[in-house]
């Protein structure tokens, strides 16, 4: 076959400058489409056609160097410090206190990875620094509110002050309210067991955190009724006792109490404190005896007994603190005792109520009279027991044993009991059995037993 025939069989000779040309025979296939109208498209644009702004450049532009922008060049990385061993060892104390510069810190930490002796010394120094800064509790000081109020009142005395016998209730309701604000919705349904003594046996009642606040609401309502305020109990109880009112509230509620009970309880507590302050009368210049002299003697009925208003407010403060401790134990919350001044007032109330409790137990046949027991006329000295309270709110009280109207006399002292202040309150709340009360006891055993059981009988639901 000649060269002419080969040219006729294979078509035109390919251009040597065409890089897309392939050697050998080519199939008759259509050229690939190009939507951008590039050179390989079916209709390539003329060579001098200008490029549209949206069309990407065919050849990317070179990247601009930072030297050509006029911007400041980044700072070069500092060269690491090369310090001698003795210098690095002298920096360990400053390193433990975080007082080294970044360069020195890097040099010391690099050295610690290679020197075991310095690493041990650095560990000891870091532990010592931890002892210089002991961890502090995030909980607020329970006396902070009292100190702030006292500081404010010293600068500007209130025109209508709260009576002194109502301040423990004001403080304890505020402390309990702070606890309730810290707990979540689910903790309002945490189980709580109320404990108290009936006769010579301890009894209990199971409820929830919300049920405890409902109990406080209904019993505080007895004081509210005395002051002419609204009764929080919608359905009247069979008897106006704290237990009957509480059971009536729990029974008549359409749903178990929830955290919604906190608002009416707190509002009632505010109203009680405000009302007794106005009812007490007087100004900030009035003496303690003048303030609340008349209103403090108003009788508050608890069904089976009565208390004057001033003692009833102390009683409500005591029960608020006791049940706040029950709630705190149920939700694992730290909770301390009242201030020493308020705790002393609560202990004093319990000590003053012991002669009446002894007489009630004697009438019920629960108090075992001793061989030396003798009744005395009211107003004359009789057998007495010395109650010594140690620790917070401490003091000494002489308790008449034979009659509530008898005069206590140190000359007729037959027994002596020593108790811690908080433990005595726990005994009076029915949380500690009389047999387990850690008391120092000297003297007539029967008299000591009667007083301990009388203290436990002060508790109620």
């Amino acid at each position: 076959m000649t060269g002419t025939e080969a040219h006729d069989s294979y078509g035109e000779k390919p251009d040597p400058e065409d890089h897309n040309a392939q050697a050998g025979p080519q199939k008759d296939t259509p050229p690939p489409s190009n939507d951008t109208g590039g050179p390989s498209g079916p209709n390539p644009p003329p060579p001098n056609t200008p490029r549209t702004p949206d069309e990407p450049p065919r050849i990317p532009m070179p990247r601009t160097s930072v030297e050509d922008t006029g911007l400041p060049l980044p700072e070069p990385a500092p060269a690491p410090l090369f310090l001698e061993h003795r210098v690095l060892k002298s920096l360990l104390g400053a390193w433990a206190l975080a007082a080294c510069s970044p360069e020195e810190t890097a040099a010391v930490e690099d050295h610690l990875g290679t020197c075991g002796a310095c690493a041990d010394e650095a560990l000891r120094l870091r532990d010592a620094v931890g002892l210089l800064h002991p961890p502090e509790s995030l909980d607020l000081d329970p006396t902070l509110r009292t100190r702030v109020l006292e500081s404010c009142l010293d600068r500007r005395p209130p025109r209508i002050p709260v009576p002194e016998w109502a301040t423990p209730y004001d403080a304890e309701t505020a402390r309990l309210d702070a606890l309730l604000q810290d707990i979540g919705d689910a903790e309002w349904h945490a189980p709580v067991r109320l404990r108290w003594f009936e006769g010579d046996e301890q009894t209990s009642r199971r409820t929830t955190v919300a049920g405890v606040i409902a109990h406080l609401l209904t019993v505080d309502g007895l004081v509210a009724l005395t002051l002419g305020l609204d009764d929080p109990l919608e359905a009247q109880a069979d008897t106006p006792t704290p237990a009957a009112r509480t059971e009536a509230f729990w029974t008549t509620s359409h749903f178990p109490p929830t955290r919604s009970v906190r608002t009416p309880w707190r509002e009632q507590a505010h109203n009680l404190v405000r009302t007794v302050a106005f009812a007490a009368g007087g100004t900030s210049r009035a003496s303690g005896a003048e303030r609340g002299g008349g209103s403090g003697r108003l009788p508050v009925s608890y069904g089976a007994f009565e208390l004057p208003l001033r003692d009833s407010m102390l009683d409500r403060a005591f029960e608020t603190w006791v049940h706040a401790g029950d709630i705190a134990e149920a939700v694992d919350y730290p909770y301390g005792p009242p201030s020493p001044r308020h705790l002393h007032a609560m202990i004093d109330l319990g000590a003053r109520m012991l002669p009446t409790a002894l007489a009630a137990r004697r009438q019920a046949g629960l108090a075992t009279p001793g061989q030396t027991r003798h009744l005395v006329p009211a107003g004359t000295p009789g057998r007495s027991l010395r109650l010594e309270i140690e620790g917070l709110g401490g003091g000494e009280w002489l308790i008449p044993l034979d009659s509530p109207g008898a005069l206590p006399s140190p000359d007729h002292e037959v027994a002596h009991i020593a108790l811690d202040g908080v433990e005595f309150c726990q005994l009076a709340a029915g949380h500690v059995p009389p047999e387990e009360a850690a008391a120092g006891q000297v003297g007539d055993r029967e008299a000591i037993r009667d007083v301990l059981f009388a203290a436990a009988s002060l508790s109620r639901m």
Side-chain angles (χ1 to χ4, degrees), residues 58 77 150-151 174 198 206 215 290-291 300 326 332 385 391 416 424 444:
R58 300 176 184 176
E150 289 180 351
S151 176
E198 289 184 357
R206 189 177 182 275
H215 167 62
E290 293 171 346
R291 292 195 300 268
V300 179
D326 295 336
D332 195 16
L385 178 143
H416 185 181
F424 174 78
D444 189 342

Side-chain angles (χ1 to χ4, degrees), residues 53-72:
D54 297 336
E55 184 179 352
R58 300 176 184 176
I59 302 176
M61 299 297 292
R63 297 178 64 183
T64 305
S65 175
V66 69
E67 291 85 351
D68 299 334
T69 60
L71 299 176

Side-chain angles (χ1 to χ4, degrees), residues 270-282:
H270 281 303
N271 290 335
L272 288 177
V273 174
R274 186 184 304 111
T275 304
V276 297
F278 278 97

Side-chain angles (χ1 to χ4, degrees), residues 265-345:
W265 166 78
R266 194 68 180 107
E267 290 179 353
Q268 178 176 257
H270 281 303
N271 290 335
L272 288 177
V273 174
R274 186 184 304 111
T275 304
V276 297
F278 278 97
T283 64
S284 59
R285 298 180 180 179
S287 64
E290 293 171 346
R291 292 195 300 268
S295 63
R297 292 192 293 266
L298 289 174
V300 179
S301 175
Y302 287 82
F305 63 96
E306 288 185 352
L307 286 177
L309 178 60
R310 60 186 308 130
D311 288 345
S312 182
M313 293 297 289
L314 280 175
D315 172 78
R316 301 314 309 138
F318 174 76
E319 188 169 358
T320 301
W321 164 49
V322 169
H323 288 323
D326 295 336
I327 294 174
E329 182 180 358
V331 300
D332 195 16
Y333 189 96
Y335 205 81
S339 65
R341 183 180 61 181
H342 295 166
L343 186 61
H344 178 81

Side-chain angles (χ1 to χ4, degrees), residues 168-180:
Y169 176 77
D170 186 25
E172 292 309 310
T173 52
R175 289 209 306 150
L176 175 55
D177 187 54
L179 185 158
L180 298 177

Side-chain angles (χ1 to χ4, degrees), residues 182-265:
D182 282 351
I183 65 177
D185 292 340
E187 291 175 310
W188 279 85
H189 303 286
V192 180
R193 186 166 293 278
L194 303 179
R195 294 167 290 171
W196 69 96
F197 261 77
E198 289 184 357
D200 287 345
E201 297 182 355
Q202 190 179 39
T203 184
S204 64
R205 179 72 157 81
R206 189 177 182 275
T207 182
T208 62
V209 172
V212 174
I213 302 303
H215 167 62
L216 293 175
L217 173 68
T218 54
V219 182
D220 288 353
L222 292 172
V223 183
L225 288 174
T226 303
L227 296 174
L229 301 177
D230 294 335
D231 188 356
L233 191 62
E234 297 180 358
Q236 293 299 322
D238 297 335
T239 56
T241 62
R245 287 174 58 86
T246 301
E247 294 290 352
F249 186 93
W250 289 343
T251 303
T252 57
S253 297
H254 297 289
F255 302 98
T258 62
R259 70 176 306 152
S260 61
V261 75
R262 171 183 166 263
T263 299
W265 166 78

